[in-house]
Structure formats: C-alpha cells, structure tokens
Amino acid sequence: MKFSRMAQFAAVTGLALAMLPAGAIAQSSAPAPVAPAAQPVIVPAPVATSPSAPAATPGDSAAPVTATVQPLPAPALPAPDPNPVMAWSLTNAKALASVIEGIGKEGLTPADYQPAALRAAIARGEGPELDALASKSFTWLTEDLRDGRTPMKARVQWFAFDKDMDVNPTVAVMSRALDSGDIAGTLAALNPTYPDYAELRDALAKAPDPKTRSQIRANMDRWRWLSHDLGEYYLITNVPEFQLRLVRKDKIVRTYRTIVGKPGKTATPQLSEMVEGVVFNPTWTVPQSIVKGEGLGAQLMGNLASAKAQGYAVSKAADGTITVVQQPGPKNALGLMKLDMPNEHAIFLHDTPSRGLFASASRALSHGCVRTERATELAIALAIIGGGKTADEAAEISASGIYTKVPMAKRPMPVYIGYFTYAKSIDGVMKAFPDIYLRDAPVLASLAAPRQLKTAQRKSTEAVIKLDNPL
C-alpha cells in the first residue's frame, strides 16, 4: 500500500469494524451503502458563513410562490406531579412493604421508606390513609432507585445532568406498578443496567465488614446518578482507576490508560457529555494564564522566528492582547488528537506528547483534561464508528499532519467521566481504588444519615473552573 503508516493505523481499527453491525460501513475506500459523511473541516478556526440567498421572486422559475402558514404552537403540557397519590389495594400495598423490607440488598435503608407505618396502615385497611402513605413511600423509593439517594450537596464536582426523572417520571412509574400489580418488578426495572451495578450488589451481599459495605453502597449509588440507559456506544472513564473504556451494548471492547487532573482546583469533574467531533492533528490555543500570566506571549513576540521554529503562531490584537496558537505536530500539547466534547469546564479527552507518563501507577497529573493512551487508535476508531469514515480514509486523515475535524454525525458518542472508588477493574476484579479527590466522605455521611427530601437540583452548584490547560 502507498501509505505504510496508514496501513499500520488502519490495521488497529479492526476493533471499530467489529463493533459495527454487519454491513453498517465499508472497510475500504469503496463507497459505503449509507449517505455520504460531511467532508472534514481542515481549518483550525471557525469560518464565517455568508448570508442566506435571497428568497425566490415571483418571476423566478426555480421555485413556485406559495403562501407561508405558521403552525400554531403546541399547547404546553402540565409537568408530571412529583408527589402523586393513587389508590392502593391491600395486595399492592403488601407487595410494596415487602420490597421496602428487602431493599437493603440494593444498598438502601428500609427505615427511610416508613415500613412500620405502612404495615400499620395496611392493618387498618384500604382507604385515603393507605393511599397517601403507600404513595409517599413508593415515591421516595422510586426517586432513590432512579436518581440516587445521595443529596446533590454531597456530590462533590458532580456536573452530569441526569434526565431520568423526565424520561421516567414518578407518576408514570407508579401507574405502571399499580396497573400491572408487579410492584417489585416495576421498581427493580429502575436499577442501573450497567453490569457493574449487579456485581456490586453481589459484592455487598458477601462483604465481611461494615466499612466495606458502606463503600460498596456509596458506589452503587454513584451508578444511580448516571442515566439509566448509557447508550449503545459510549466511552466511560473511572477517574481513580486511571482507565477509559470503549463500550458497545454494555460490553467493553477496548480499554485505555488515562492521566487525569491533579487533586485540588485541577481535579477532573464528573461529567456526561457528547463527542461532537474527532479532531486529528489539533491546534492548541494557549490559555492567557500562560500567555500573559507566565510571560510566554511577550517572550514569543520578541522573537517571532524562534516562535515559528517552536511551532507557535503568535499574533497581537489592537488592544495589546497576544494570542498564541500551537500548530499541529508531535510536540503539540494535545498530541495528535482530541475529542471535541463542548462543555462549560473546557474538559476533553486528548493525546499527549508525554506518553511515558502512562507507565506510572498513579496518574493524577493533568490540569483537568483526560489524556488518553493510544489516542490515535481511539480517534481512528471513532472516525469509523461515528464519522462514517472507512479505515483507509481515517488513517489518511490521521497521517496527513493537517488539522482535520471529523464530525460524529453518523453515531454521536456519549462520554461519561465517573468517579468510582469500589468497582470492577479492567481485569474483571472487584476492588477498591484510592479516593484521590476525597469525594467519598460526604457520600458516606449522607448514607449514614436520615434520608433528605429531594429537590429540583440536578447537579452541583459549585463554581465552574475552566480547566483549559492540558499540560
């Protein structure tokens, strides 16, 4: 083949092709039986678009004149009742009481859901009292199984917005349970589907000491903080493990070592974002904390020839602001690829020229972003899976040395940045991981305290710190 390096890159993308359904994408440069993907953008900065073309005039044969009718706005639907009260039969109420009394196996506390009061109401028979009490206990149990028991103020640096209460509101869950009579099954269906949750539940049943049980319960709850359905394809990283997983249908396809943020202000936050594009041979706009704060801008402006030799493009605005952009290349701070996943924290996954650091056992070394081992392999795989590229096309783009963004238009890829201190390792062993950011204590304290009523809050109110320095 003409491009030996491309052939090498294409060879490692067998994992991407194996992930796709049969016939989903071509494996060579032959046209794929799908709509053609958009051509990659090969400029480092956005280009302004021209105004839209004028509308056709009555004499224009390109389009007939038609009257424009504005559709009426859809009527606003009332928000689901977060605290519904429904009619409970004795049979359904007794089934609910049984679920509550055995809910310890899910890492929750039976007393939180008033089992004694519910049993007393059952003894007094059907009626408004039983309806109100059973509905309240069911609502609290639904909220904790679906959204997690830990209150938001105890979820340090938690910024992964969970839509489960919108997709599966309590009133709908309760209606299904009462209509079917399957109280236990309806509630069990709220449990996270990722296999590690069930394995944590099994580990909880066998845990020999209270400390281990508490740690397992905390991490079972962390799975509930995430969306019930993570998607068919996704990336998920466990920060304390320093590992990233590429997953399809909840089965790990490939793993990658990671380097994450240092403890303190540069700690990597917990996020749920979407990869919008794979950037090959990225540029890096150096943050002003370095350009101005560390004097890099003035230094480079004083010797533009040296700046160019080092791979920097330097410019100075009329107001004196110096902009420094590191050009693509093996010495670029982002390495040879980054995943474009827009978020208010400026956190993303990227390559690094300092690949020797992946050999370190403890890898909390970055300014917040997640550096990824074998990043070129991952980028090519995502360009195939999500960008609709063939292996040859993706390899050629990677080897070009030119800034190129491949939009993930075919299959958007969710990314979950999680923090699990008791989990199954990439080797399949259930084990504890270091609490590198000291996030366990507030979760453990909340689980030991009485349950708090839920609020409308979905993520942390902590200040967002833009961690835009990949070094």
Side-chain angles (χ1 to χ4, degrees), residues 8 53 56 74 101 109 134 139 144 154 195 200 296 307 342 347 354 389 399 462 466:
Q8 180 183 8
E101 289 159 358
T109 303
T139 293
D144 291 355
L200 279 169
L296 178 65
I347 293 292
S354 304
K389 298 300 178 186
E462 297 169 80
K466 288 191 175 183

Side-chain angles (χ1 to χ4, degrees), residues 100 103 108-115 137 140-141 144 149 451:
I100 291 171
I103 203 63
L108 299 176
T109 303
D112 285 339
Y113 313 103
Q114 303 180 321
S137 294
W140 291 354
L141 194 53
D144 291 355
R149 182 187 183 280
R451 180 187 188 272

Side-chain angles (χ1 to χ4, degrees), residues 150-151 153-156 222 435 438-448:
T150 307
K153 67 180 182 180
R155 305 184 189 187
V156 179
R222 282 181 168 126
D435 182 14
L438 305 180
R439 291 177 179 168
D440 272 356
V443 180
L444 294 169
S446 73
L447 290 174

Side-chain angles (χ1 to χ4, degrees), residues 69-149:
V69 179
Q70 295 295 332
L72 294 174
L77 298 176
D81 186 354
N83 299 294
V85 176
M86 299 183 183
W88 284 76
S89 67
L90 288 176
T91 299
N92 284 339
K94 289 176 181 177
L96 175 60
S98 295
V99 171
I100 291 171
E101 289 159 358
I103 203 63
K105 69 181 181 181
E106 302 294 343
L108 299 176
T109 303
D112 285 339
Y113 313 103
Q114 303 180 321
L118 180 58
R119 286 291 186 188
I122 290 171
R124 288 189 285 272
E126 296 178 1
E129 180 192 8
L130 180 61
D131 295 343
L133 190 56
S135 294
K136 181 170 66 174
S137 294
F138 186 93
T139 293
W140 291 354
L141 194 53
T142 296
E143 290 173 344
D144 291 355
L145 289 172
R146 181 191 60 206
D147 311 320
R149 182 187 183 280

Side-chain angles (χ1 to χ4, degrees), residues 29-331:
S29 57
V34 295
Q39 292 300 310
V41 179
I42 58 172
V43 293
V47 177
T49 57
S50 60
S52 300
T57 63
D60 189 344
S61 60
V65 178
T66 57
T68 301
V69 179
Q70 295 295 332
L72 294 174
L77 298 176
D81 186 354
N83 299 294
V85 176
M86 299 183 183
W88 284 76
S89 67
L90 288 176
T91 299
N92 284 339
K94 289 176 181 177
L96 175 60
S98 295
V99 171
I100 291 171
E101 289 159 358
I103 203 63
K105 69 181 181 181
E106 302 294 343
L108 299 176
T109 303
D112 285 339
Y113 313 103
Q114 303 180 321
L118 180 58
R119 286 291 186 188
I122 290 171
R124 288 189 285 272
E126 296 178 1
E129 180 192 8
L130 180 61
D131 295 343
L133 190 56
S135 294
K136 181 170 66 174
S137 294
F138 186 93
T139 293
W140 291 354
L141 194 53
T142 296
E143 290 173 344
D144 291 355
L145 289 172
R146 181 191 60 206
D147 311 320
R149 182 187 183 280
T150 307
M152 285 294 166
K153 67 180 182 180
R155 305 184 189 187
V156 179
Q157 288 288 294
W158 175 257
F159 297 100
F161 188 90
D162 180 10
K163 298 179 181 178
D164 283 349
M165 68 175 68
D166 304 320
V167 174
N168 210 11
T170 300
V171 65
V173 178
M174 192 181 299
S175 295
R176 286 199 304 271
L178 295 177
D179 290 346
S180 66
D182 185 7
I183 308 299
T186 302
L187 289 169
L190 299 174
N191 288 333
T193 58
Y194 195 77
D196 283 22
Y197 177 83
E199 296 199 29
L200 279 169
R201 181 173 54 206
D202 293 342
L204 179 66
K206 302 171 185 175
D209 62 274
K211 182 178 179 180
T212 302
R213 287 180 58 82
S214 294
Q215 191 175 15
I216 293 173
R217 291 177 65 214
N219 285 279
M220 290 176 73
D221 208 49
R222 282 181 168 126
W223 279 110
R224 300 186 190 104
W225 304 355
L226 291 170
S227 296
H228 180 77
D229 181 6
L230 300 182
E232 180 178 0
Y233 297 87
Y234 55 91
L235 293 162
I236 186 166
T237 181
N238 183 16
V239 168
E241 187 186 9
F242 310 114
Q243 292 285 349
L244 172 71
R245 295 158 169 82
L246 174 60
V247 181
R248 185 192 179 204
K249 293 184 176 179
D250 293 335
K251 292 186 178 179
I252 299 170
V253 176
R254 190 63 61 92
T255 62
Y256 304 86
R257 295 180 184 181
T258 61
I259 294 170
V260 301
K262 300 174 186 175
K265 286 188 176 182
T266 58
T268 301
Q270 297 161 93
L271 302 175
S272 174
E273 304 296 340
M274 192 69 70
V275 177
E276 294 185 358
V278 182
V279 179
F280 292 90
N281 308 300
T283 59
W284 176 47
T285 301
V286 183
Q288 288 299 308
S289 59
I290 297 176
V291 174
K292 185 176 181 180
E294 299 182 14
L296 178 65
Q299 176 187 336
L300 295 177
M301 284 296 298
N303 192 337
L304 294 177
S306 174
K308 184 177 180 180
Q310 295 179 62
Y312 292 107
V314 187
S315 62
K316 189 173 184 178
D319 64 358
T321 300
I322 298 174
T323 300
V324 179
V325 179
Q326 191 179 28
Q327 299 304 295
K331 294 182 180 180

